[in-house]
Amino acid sequence: SPDGTRVALSDASRLSIHIHAWDRHDTRETWSVEEHSANAGGDESSGPYRITDVRFLPNARQISIVRSDGRVGIQDVVSGKVECETQLEKGVEFLAFSPTGDYYVVKRDKIVQVWETRTCLPLHRGVVVRERENLGCASISHDGTRLALATMVEGLWHTAEDGVLRIWDITNPESPCASVVISGRRISVMAFSPNAHLLAAGYDDGTVRIWDAVGFPCGESLVPELDCVRHVAFSSKGRMLFFRTY
C-alpha cells in the first residue's frame, strides 16, 4: 500500500482464487476471500478466470482488482466489501491501471480510452491506434491526464521490429503531444513519474530509457540487461526508478 502498512496478493488453484491482505506491523491477516473461478454459467470445462492485477488505492484501505473474465472493481481490504464493480463488454480489453488505481485504460478495436475506476465511465471519447500499428502496451499518469501508447509498426518503410511511442493529453485526444519512432526495438512496459513530467520505458532488449512529456530523451539509456524489462516504477517522489527484468 502507498503508506507501507498493508500487503496484498492473490493466488489461484484450478477452480478457486484467494485474495489476502496483511497488516505489515504484526503480520496478521486482516482480510481474505475465496471465490469460485469457473467462467460465467458454471462451465468449469471452459477454464477458470484469474486475477490479472491487484493494486492499492491511495487511501491504503481499498484495492482495485482486475479479473481475466472482464470484471474490474474495488474492494475494501478490511471488510472485504465490494465498493464497485463493472463487467467490461465483450471485445473490450483491459490494458493498464494508473499508479493510484483511480483510472484504467481499455481498448475496443482501434480505440483506446481512459476510464475512471469509481464511476466505470470513460473520461474522453478515446484515441485511435493507426492502421498498420499493433498496440504493445499503455500507461496512464497518476492524475489521469496523460496517456502513453507504445505500438509496433508493420510494413511500409518500417521493419517488424520498429516501435512508436506516443503521448497524449487526454483533454485533447485528437493529436498526440509527442510521437517518436524507435528503430529496431519494442517497448515492453512504461510508467509515468508522479508529476507526469517524465515517462520511463523498458525495452525488449533489457534497456530502460526516460523520456520527457514531449518526447525528448532524458540522458542516456540505463545499463542494458540480458532480458526483456517487465516492470518499471517511479518512487513516490519521483527521484528513484525501479525496474525488473525476466
Side-chain angles (χ1 to χ4, degrees):
S1 60
D3 61 1
T5 61
R6 291 188 173 95
V7 178
L9 61 84
S10 67
D11 61 71
S13 63
R14 189 175 72 88
L15 295 177
S16 64
I17 286 175
H18 304 264
I19 306 171
H20 312 270
W22 287 271
D23 185 290
R24 182 179 66 87
H25 297 294
D26 58 17
T27 69
R28 289 183 302 175
E29 188 172 70
T30 59
W31 170 67
S32 178
V33 65
E34 178 179 352
E35 52 187 70
H36 193 58
S37 67
N39 286 344
D43 182 9
E44 297 176 0
S45 63
S46 60
Y49 67 82
R50 57 191 174 88
I51 302 293
T52 59
D53 194 294
V54 176
R55 191 180 300 267
F56 275 97
L57 271 62
N59 61 21
R61 290 180 56 87
Q62 296 172 313
I63 53 175
S64 52
I65 303 174
V66 181
R67 296 167 174 83
S68 60
D69 62 357
R71 284 181 292 154
V72 180
I74 295 176
Q75 288 186 240
D76 188 289
V77 297
V78 177
S79 65
K81 178 183 177 182
V82 177
E83 302 290 346
C84 66
E85 186 174 78
T86 185
Q87 177 75 51
L88 297 180
E89 298 175 8
K90 186 176 182 180
V92 178
E93 178 186 356
F94 176 87
L95 295 178
F97 262 118
S98 69
T100 61
D102 292 328
Y103 307 95
Y104 58 92
V105 186
V106 299
K107 178 174 75 76
R108 186 202 306 267
D109 298 324
K110 289 285 187 177
I111 305 296
V112 178
Q113 289 181 312
V114 177
W115 289 40
E116 187 175 29
T117 305
R118 295 182 185 280
T119 63
C120 303
L121 295 174
L123 298 181
H124 59 98
R125 59 182 177 276
V127 301
V128 179
V129 178
R130 299 178 183 180
E131 293 298 326
R132 297 183 179 273
E133 291 187 21
N134 296 317
L135 184 62
C137 61
S139 181
I140 181 71
S141 63
H142 291 58
D143 59 4
T145 62
R146 296 267 175 175
L147 171 66
L149 300 179
T151 60
M152 282 77 74
V153 185
E154 296 179 351
L156 295 179
W157 299 279
H158 300 283
T159 71
E161 297 300 319
D162 283 347
V164 178
L165 167 64
R166 294 190 178 92
I167 303 174
W168 275 269
D169 177 345
I170 67 168
T171 61
N172 180 27
E174 297 299 329
S175 59
C177 51
S179 183
V180 182
V181 175
I182 302 162
S183 299
R185 292 188 296 173
R186 299 184 184 184
I187 296 176
S188 56
V189 65
M190 299 181 292
F192 278 98
S193 63
N195 61 12
H197 292 168
L198 299 174
L199 177 73
Y203 296 83
D204 59 358
D205 64 357
T207 59
V208 177
R209 164 149 271 179
I210 298 176
W211 303 82
D212 67 16
V214 292
F216 287 101
C218 301
E220 298 295 326
S221 298
L222 301 182
V223 178
E225 298 288 340
L226 297 177
D227 301 309
C228 179
V229 180
R230 296 296 186 183
H231 182 77
V232 290
F234 282 92
S235 63
S236 59
K237 295 183 179 180
R239 296 176 180 174
M240 293 187 291
L241 178 68
F242 306 90
F243 66 95
R244 180 182 63 184
T245 61
Y246 279 6

